[in-house]
Amino acid sequence: MNSAVFSCNDVAIKINSDKEDIIKFLVEMFGNYYEINNNCLPTITINYKLGIANDFQFIDKERNDNSYNYVNGNEKEININIPYYDESKQSFIKRMFTTSFIKAFQKKGYMIMHGACAFKDNDGIIITGAAGSGKTTLLQKLLNDGYGYVANDRLALKEEENGIIVCGIPFSMGIRKDDIQKEFNDCSSYYIKEIDKKFIENKDVPKYFGVEMKSKILLSTIIFCGYDMNIDGLRVDQVNDINKTINPNIMFDDAIPNTKYYLHLIFGSYKNKCDLSKVKGVKVIQGLNSESETLNQIENIRIRKRGN
């Protein structure tokens, strides 16, 4: 049996597989993001096995795939049988890995939220808002200005003695056609015509933008953005209550939503909260701002916090 343990802060997932290529694939996808440390005690163990098992509780089927995958387990260990392994199974294998990591974070008391995260000088900056509010667009502007990358879409937050730690959950970044500034020749990417986007795999984001990547950072600033077609697109909303504005503990549908319900049934449901109002110096940029004003405000707030 081949094994690898992926860890982030105090959370770890152990992967076992009787197919070495599955371990190699997951290490290739996530090994430069999460730490590989086989000495860590796993929060959750995932067993990927080849072959059909008749006694498995749930079945899942990928798009454009005629075969089924079988899933069962408990809150500590999940078993996944796939009939064979090739490129067509990689999307399912990634999806089970990332959604299981979400559950592992929740088991350790983290709040899951929808948002992007960048950093500079170890100051973590969360960008959150409703779907279509410009989170990824603002994140890309920061990365183009030399900020580092933590995550594009999903975050795990937990209160610790020195503040609130933000851990990323590695999902690909969708870049709209109008925002593409570089070729994707050196990156693993795919195109979805219906929404006119190119998607970069998480592992290739640092290469595409030429920035540093971390899987965790200490939270410094929260930005609630909203898209406004009457200006240049970037707007930052006024927020009276940070905790009420963020909707935590969302499990999130993936490309095939069945996995969400499977893991709810296997691992249970969590209602973790994180008091974001305790973050020292949280600043909400208010009103309508141009792109340059928004980016300048973010940098000025960060510098003032550090006493520079």
Side-chain angles (χ1 to χ4, degrees):
M1 184 71 72
N2 305 283
S3 300
V5 178
F6 299 78
S7 65
C8 182
N9 206 37
D10 59 349
V11 174
I13 283 192
K14 182 176 183 179
I15 305 297
N16 294 322
S17 180
D18 52 5
K19 180 70 171 176
E20 185 180 6
D21 288 347
I22 292 178
I23 300 292
K24 289 181 177 179
F25 169 68
L26 290 172
V27 169
E28 177 189 355
M29 295 301 301
F30 306 115
N32 69 336
Y33 189 67
Y34 292 135
E35 181 182 358
I36 305 293
N37 186 350
N38 290 336
N39 294 320
C40 284
L41 183 66
T43 312
I44 290 173
T45 298
I46 304 177
N47 301 311
Y48 289 98
K49 303 177 181 180
L50 292 186
I52 300 299
N54 294 326
D55 60 344
F56 273 47
Q57 188 172 1
F58 307 109
I59 59 174
D60 202 343
K61 185 177 179 181
E62 284 289 313
R63 294 172 181 171
N64 303 318
D65 184 357
N66 293 323
S67 65
Y68 286 86
N69 311 293
Y70 296 81
V71 181
N72 77 356
N74 54 51
E75 63 177 11
K76 294 182 179 180
E77 189 167 13
I78 181 170
N79 302 303
I80 304 169
N81 268 56
I82 58 177
Y84 56 85
Y85 173 71
D86 63 17
E87 187 175 337
S88 68
K89 292 297 183 183
Q90 291 178 350
S91 175
F92 174 77
I93 289 169
K94 285 193 301 180
R95 178 159 50 84
M96 294 305 296
F97 177 91
T98 51
T99 49
S100 295
F101 231 117
I102 290 175
K103 281 300 185 182
F105 278 121
Q106 289 180 317
K107 281 187 66 175
K108 284 285 193 174
Y110 289 75
M111 179 184 79
I112 306 300
M113 67 170 287
H114 186 199
C117 184
F119 70 90
K120 199 168 191 179
D121 297 329
N122 292 316
D123 293 326
I125 301 165
I126 284 180
I127 307 165
T128 189
S133 62
K135 295 183 296 297
T136 301
T137 299
L138 181 53
L139 173 64
Q140 290 175 45
K141 301 294 184 183
L142 292 174
L143 298 181
N144 285 325
D145 278 1
Y147 283 68
Y149 171 76
V150 178
N152 172 56
D153 194 51
R154 307 174 198 194
L155 307 170
L157 280 65
K158 186 178 182 180
E159 297 176 47
E160 297 187 345
E161 288 185 6
N162 59 340
I164 294 180
I165 195 77
V166 182
C167 295
I169 300 163
F171 284 78
S172 56
M173 177 186 290
I175 302 181
R176 296 189 181 279
K177 182 178 179 180
D178 293 342
D179 293 332
I180 294 174
Q181 299 179 355
K182 305 174 185 177
E183 295 297 325
F184 286 75
N185 297 336
D186 296 330
C187 299
S188 300
S189 64
Y190 51 99
Y191 180 64
I192 297 182
K193 185 176 181 180
E194 292 80 4
I195 54 178
D196 203 25
K197 279 186 179 181
K198 273 272 194 178
F199 285 82
I200 308 179
E201 297 286 3
N202 188 81
K203 68 182 179 67
D204 290 322
V205 171
K207 184 191 305 181
Y208 180 80
F209 288 98
V211 298
E212 183 183 1
M213 178 170 67
K214 294 183 178 182
S215 63
K216 66 176 183 178
I217 198 74
L218 195 65
L219 179 59
S220 174
T221 305
I222 304 174
I223 301 167
F224 295 84
C225 62
Y227 185 82
D228 191 332
M229 62 184 301
N230 295 316
I231 54 173
D232 64 4
L234 284 178
R235 175 168 61 84
V236 179
D237 293 331
Q238 181 174 349
V239 176
N240 296 320
D241 189 322
I242 293 175
N243 293 318
K244 287 183 179 180
T245 303
I246 291 178
N247 184 13
N249 304 304
I250 301 172
M251 183 56 193
F252 296 106
D253 290 341
D254 282 312
I256 308 296
N258 287 347
T259 300
K260 168 187 174 181
Y261 302 109
Y262 298 166
L263 295 183
H264 268 319
L265 291 171
I266 291 171
F267 293 122
S269 182
Y270 296 85
K271 302 294 183 182
N272 306 329
K273 295 182 180 180
C274 190
D275 189 355
L276 300 179
S277 65
K278 291 182 178 180
V279 181
K280 294 181 179 179
V282 170
K283 191 75 174 180
V284 179
I285 307 169
Q286 300 180 0
L288 300 179
N289 300 275
S290 69
E291 175 183 310
S292 60
E293 288 174 332
T294 301
L295 296 175
N296 286 338
Q297 284 272 37
I298 294 169
E299 183 67 6
N300 290 337
I301 290 169
R302 190 190 65 79
I303 290 174
R304 286 199 299 270
K305 283 184 178 181
R306 298 186 68 84
N308 297 329

